[in-house]
Amino acid sequence: ANGCTKFYNESVVVGTPLDVTASNQTICEGDFVGLSAITTGGNTSNPYVYTWLVYDSLTGNTSTPPGVVNPTNPVNVNPTTTTDYMVYVSDGCSRNDTTGVTVTVNNLSIVTFSSVDAIGCPPLVVDFKATSVDVGLLYSWSFGDGVVQNTVLDTTYHIYNNSGSYDVMLTVTNQFGCVSSYYSPKHV
């Protein structure tokens, strides 16, 4: 009215939005892995609340990972196959944020071995041959007499200089760094 104008000054504080990040992980079959989300922004006066879920990309369904009690961060998981996870974060004020994490599970190599002439008198030369469908393995032979031999070949031999029974173990490492073993008690 009367051409008068009144101005008001009001301070408005707008915080930065929540931003959650987490890194993909790679493990070997049977391993546990810790997943951790890092959050910035949002209402830093309130605690961040994290909810971890398994995400099925084929169906869009989610479920709580086995052994996880939400809300929590970090989480330890033990997937048997490559698995996608989602983590949701809230602070009770800002818009929630989410990110995805993939845990890639690499298979262990299945290996056995056989030998020729595993019975005899010392010095006894025994030829060993590893069997696996995988290629590019690193072989570590423990011959049971204190000798360990590392090789990239699937065949080797060992000379036993003393009488006795010997437990033989073959440990292999595949191209993913996954380690598995085959143990044969009293093999020689």
Side-chain angles (χ1 to χ4, degrees):
N2 298 345
C4 297
T5 306
K6 190 170 188 178
F7 292 95
Y8 291 96
N9 275 340
E10 191 72 37
S11 294
V12 177
V13 177
V14 178
T16 58
L18 282 173
D19 184 28
V20 62
T21 59
S23 298
N24 294 333
Q25 301 288 329
T26 301
I27 63 171
C28 296
E29 183 180 354
D31 288 349
F32 281 84
V33 65
L35 302 179
S36 182
I38 298 171
T39 303
T40 58
N43 183 354
T44 56
S45 298
N46 291 345
Y48 297 129
V49 177
Y50 296 89
T51 303
W52 287 89
L53 299 170
V54 173
Y55 175 69
D56 184 336
S57 60
L58 295 176
T59 64
N61 294 334
T62 60
S63 61
T64 302
V68 172
V69 178
N70 282 310
T72 188
N73 187 55
V75 295
N76 287 314
V77 294
N78 175 244
T80 56
T81 62
T82 296
T83 304
D84 293 321
Y85 296 88
M86 300 293 291
V87 58
Y88 296 88
V89 64
S90 64
D91 64 8
C93 181
S94 308
R95 173 187 273 167
N96 295 347
D97 194 26
T98 185
T99 192
V101 177
T102 299
V103 176
T104 302
V105 179
N106 291 316
N107 292 327
L108 299 175
S109 296
I110 298 172
V111 66
T112 61
F113 66 82
S114 58
S115 64
V116 178
D117 298 327
I119 298 174
C121 297
L124 177 65
V125 178
V126 180
D127 294 311
F128 293 92
K129 174 151 180 55
T131 305
S132 178
V133 296
D134 296 329
V135 295
L137 299 175
L138 300 174
Y139 301 88
S140 180
W141 296 90
S142 177
F143 298 108
D145 60 355
V147 175
V148 175
Q149 181 187 52
N150 298 311
T151 180
V152 295
L153 303 175
D154 63 354
T155 59
T156 191
Y157 73 92
H158 183 66
I159 300 171
Y160 289 91
N161 291 310
N162 298 306
S163 297
S165 294
Y166 298 96
D167 302 337
V168 178
M169 182 163 61
L170 172 60
T171 301
V172 296
T173 305
N174 66 20
Q175 68 269 26
F176 304 114
C178 299
V179 177
S180 56
S181 297
Y182 180 76
Y183 175 74
S184 181
K186 297 183 181 176
H187 189 83
V188 177

